[in-house]
Amino acid sequence: QTKLKAKNKDPYPDWKAGSPVPYAALCTTFSLIELTTKRLIITEHCSLFLQQVLRLTPDDFLPTVLLMVNKLAPDYAGIELGIGESLIMKAIGETTGRSLQVIKADQKEIGDLGLVAVKSRSTQPTMFKPKPLTIRSVHKGLMDVATVTGGGGAQGRKVDLIKKLLSAADAHSSGKIDINKDKGGPSEAKYIVRFLEGKLRLGLAERTVLVSIGQAVACHEASQKGKIPSTTQMEEAEALLKTVYSELPSWDVIIPAMVRNGIMNLRDSCKLRPGVPLKPMLAKPTKAITEVLDRFENQTFTCEYKYDGERAQIHYVAKDRSEDLIEALPSATKEAAKGVASIFSRNSEDLSKKYPDILGKLHTWVKEGTKSFVLDCETVAWDVTEKKVLPFQQLMTRKKKDVKVEDVKVKVCVFAFDLLFLNGEALVEKSLRERRELMHGAFNPVEGEFAYATHMNGQELEEIQIFLDESVKASCEGLMVKMLDGSESGYEPSKRSRNWLKIKKDYLSSVGDSLDLVVLGAYHGKGKRTSVYGAFLLACYNLGTETYETVCNIGTGFSEQVLEELHKQLSEITIDRPKPFYSHSSGGQHQPDVWFEPQYVWEVKTADLTLSPRYKAGMKEKVDPAGEKGISLRFPRFIKIRDDKKPDEATSSRQVAEMYRKQESVTKSKGPSVDDDF
Ligand code: ATP
């Protein structure tokens, strides 16, 4: 930044204290970040910029953070841009007076739509100068794109709104932007297009932004007192922010409170609360009961059935309490008899419209003194006549939206396994034993509607083996084994923790788990399959580099009917060439016939994992000492579409590498625990 300032003494004359932050200033920071891969430097650039925003325009701190994390609102708000590559190309073409054909040709050659936008822009003579973009106006403009409603002309209106943004982009930058230099430099159009594509590709993961926010606020607060914060103070601020965000993952709530009351007071106002879903705690796979016993040696643990349904986080506030918590309840919540309640999915989507039957009955399961709660559960399809759990496939047949109670054919039973909040108090730091006791005291189970997950506290191998067999007989996937006492048995939001282990019957002595992979491409079918795709190219997700790394081709496990459906679904999202954030082999014979937008996640089983020069998975994790091979799946088999996972929630490269290492026993060390989001 110093160098940059030296070049141009006052690059943003419009950015005065209190005035909106120029979007160009953020793009300059992005371009500096783009030129490095060093996390510390990225964090520093980010933190310096945030300090400047805090000093000059604290009101813009929230939209700045949102544009940095490539989000418009918290996940539970359900705001999605809903645009693919073709709409963006159309908007670029129409803004710059270039034909769609030319844009497509450029995209084929350059392979990065952001740079295509820059190139298109720089050939366009500027007739008049629109008002410079600000962070506020860009956030609002993108929000307008996301919230366009209605059928017919919605796509056209989206294109018009994107055009409005693009025509104001870079209008004030001096001279031409060279797409071959410094990755296109600080072009506004480039970053707007990348935001629209859902990937800024700066190596700026949300956890890096979080650390930068912690540092920036600590520095800003200290500087106001004429001081410099110590390393310990910075670390305390970061740790506090991390805890607060894991319990209340909403920048919309946290940032105003932080700017108003200071970072160290965040704990007072920003706590886990009904209405804001937290990212669920996740489990690590294991391959044998003995592995579980090794892990929990000298610790008490408990086993629970692992139900095969859909994760559901139920939030509830009784009517007589809603007054106190009214501020805490976002518009997403739904009226339920005797209270206000919402159901959220594994990735914080509001499922209330999918489960009106649960919301309608909820109050009958709630005991008199239970006034507010957040409950972690699994909804499972239920056979009313046989009174037993049905396979997951049955649950899949339920409609996803606007379900009417009278139309529900597949009944569900809610199996509760954890209680995170009760009567105004967060329970996440309590031991599992305490949480479980509180949970058992707060509800009235009703057969076929609401039950507690079946559990067993026995610690012996034989007991666990019998319990595992019983779980499978009861149509469950296997067991969850959880630390029961002590601080390690607390609930760790958003973490794939070693304190929760899963044992799946199917995977004993293989790789331990199935994988959830993103579909990147497909091969045309042969013989009987000529009208559909016959095989697909799948990838895992590298959270650090924000790239999809190829991991296998798959052609097994699909019925003819499924292949037809997949063909219909996927042919709507084809793209002309792989995205720049796909990491794949470039050799001609390994290229799929068609490429797709990264949209669908499939669950896939595998016999085992092996190294292959053809795939890229885990290459950055250094599984192959020579650095030439990635990890691939042997004999992969399609299980199902995971529509509760977004592409960046697919199995991570680190998880794939961890599975491979465990299988190969390449390393004896247990390694750090994988932190999915933070
Ligand atoms: P999976 O494919 O195994 O569901 P995942 O990545 O969605 O993978 P994991 O942490 O691997 O999640 O497995 C835990 C999942 O199992 C939870 O998300 C939940 O939906 C389900 N589940 C079923 N029974 C339980 C239970 N008793 N305790 C915790 N989770 C349970």
Side-chain angles (χ1 to χ4, degrees), residues 20 144 158 165 207 310 405 497 505 534 615 649 664:
D144 290 345
K158 280 185 195 255
L165 280 171
R207 78 183 85 183
E310 178 172 25
V405 180
S497 167
K505 177 81 173 164
Y615 299 103
E649 287 169 316
E664 294 293 302

Side-chain angles (χ1 to χ4, degrees), residues 163-219:
K163 276 160 59 183
K164 216 166 116 188
L165 280 171
L166 288 180
S167 53
D170 303 315
H172 295 255
S173 65
S174 47
K176 268 192 176 184
I177 298 169
D178 184 350
I179 61 163
N180 298 314
K181 221 176 122 210
D182 294 342
K183 303 190 174 178
S187 154
E188 294 177 323
K190 177 176 76 174
Y191 295 116
I192 289 174
V193 165
R194 287 198 182 163
F195 193 102
L196 291 166
E197 285 195 294
K199 288 259 168 297
L200 289 174
R201 296 181 14 239
L202 303 169
L204 194 60
E206 195 159 359
R207 78 183 85 183
T208 312
V209 178
L210 184 144
V211 171
S212 310
I213 297 173
Q215 290 183 1
V217 179
C219 289

Side-chain angles (χ1 to χ4, degrees), residues 203-433:
L204 194 60
E206 195 159 359
R207 78 183 85 183
T208 312
V209 178
L210 184 144
V211 171
S212 310
I213 297 173
Q215 290 183 1
V217 179
C219 289
H220 176 71
E221 288 180 4
S223 80
Q224 284 189 317
K225 295 179 198 144
K227 293 185 179 152
I228 296 172
S230 66
T231 314
T232 325
Q233 280 170 325
M234 301 252 268
E235 283 169 2
E236 272 171 14
E238 279 165 36
L240 182 84
L241 191 57
K242 192 172 156 179
T243 311
V244 168
Y245 189 77
S246 76
E247 289 181 21
L248 191 75
S250 168
W251 295 121
D252 291 51
V253 181
I254 296 174
I255 285 179
M258 189 164 63
V259 171
R260 212 172 37 238
N261 307 325
I263 194 163
M264 295 321 277
N265 296 319
L266 265 185
R267 257 341 224 152
D268 300 337
S269 53
C270 292
K271 292 183 189 148
L272 198 168
R273 61 176 74 160
V276 179
L278 52 160
K279 301 274 176 217
M281 179 164 175
L282 299 169
K284 289 216 165 213
T286 55
K287 296 193 296 177
I289 297 175
T290 47
E291 193 184 330
V292 171
L293 293 175
D294 285 345
R295 159 67 191 106
F296 290 128
E297 205 181 355
N298 302 325
Q299 316 264 12
T300 40
F301 57 86
T302 183
C303 300
E304 290 170 1
Y305 282 5
K306 185 178 193 306
Y307 295 90
D308 195 7
E310 178 172 25
R311 189 136 185 189
Q313 210 179 80
I314 304 183
H315 292 229
Y316 173 87
V317 181
K319 269 221 172 92
D320 52 349
R321 271 295 186 90
S322 49
E323 285 294 303
D324 317 345
L325 282 160
I326 209 76
E327 199 200 353
L329 296 164
S331 53
T333 49
K334 273 206 63 162
E335 274 294 317
K338 290 201 176 164
V340 195
S342 289
I343 304 180
F344 296 102
S345 75
R346 185 186 189 285
N347 57 16
S348 307
E349 264 175 58
D350 192 352
L351 296 179
S352 304
K353 292 204 169 80
K354 181 173 178 184
Y355 291 117
D357 42 344
I358 296 180
L359 288 176
K361 279 188 237 146
L362 190 60
H363 67 281
T364 62
W365 314 329
V366 175
K367 278 196 179 159
E368 196 58 32
T370 304
K371 298 294 184 187
S372 58
F373 63 82
V374 174
L375 192 66
D376 206 352
C377 332
E378 188 85 352
T379 57
V380 184
W382 182 257
D383 184 333
V384 189
T385 13
E386 297 287 320
K387 298 193 187 332
K388 62 174 197 183
V389 162
L390 286 168
F392 175 81
Q393 279 66 21
Q394 290 290 321
L395 190 67
M396 284 305 281
T397 60
R398 267 181 77 118
K399 251 177 69 181
K400 297 202 173 62
K401 277 190 189 137
D402 301 322
V403 174
K404 292 205 182 74
V405 180
E406 55 276 20
D407 297 339
V408 170
K409 291 202 184 64
V410 180
K411 302 270 183 247
V412 293
C413 179
V414 172
F415 286 92
F417 51 80
D418 217 322
L419 184 63
L420 317 180
F421 182 96
L422 180 66
N423 294 341
E425 193 196 348
L427 308 180
V428 283
E429 284 171 11
K430 291 193 186 300
S431 70
L432 174 55
R433 194 188 290 275

Side-chain angles (χ1 to χ4, degrees), residues 643-654:
D643 50 17
D644 60 338
K645 281 195 175 178
K646 293 194 186 124
D648 54 10
E649 287 169 316
T651 302
S652 69
S653 310
R654 231 167 118 182

Side-chain angles (χ1 to χ4, degrees), residues 467-482:
F467 195 58
L468 174 60
D469 293 342
E470 284 169 2
S471 80
V472 175
K473 273 197 209 113
S475 304
C476 291
E477 271 190 303
L479 298 182
M480 297 289 294
V481 190
K482 303 175 178 177

Side-chain angles (χ1 to χ4, degrees), residues 22 68 70 96 182 217 272 391 553 571 622-623 646 656:
M68 280 179 164
N70 216 141
T96 55
D182 294 342
V217 179
L272 198 168
N553 280 331
S571 36
K622 304 195 172 59
V623 279
K646 293 194 186 124
V656 177

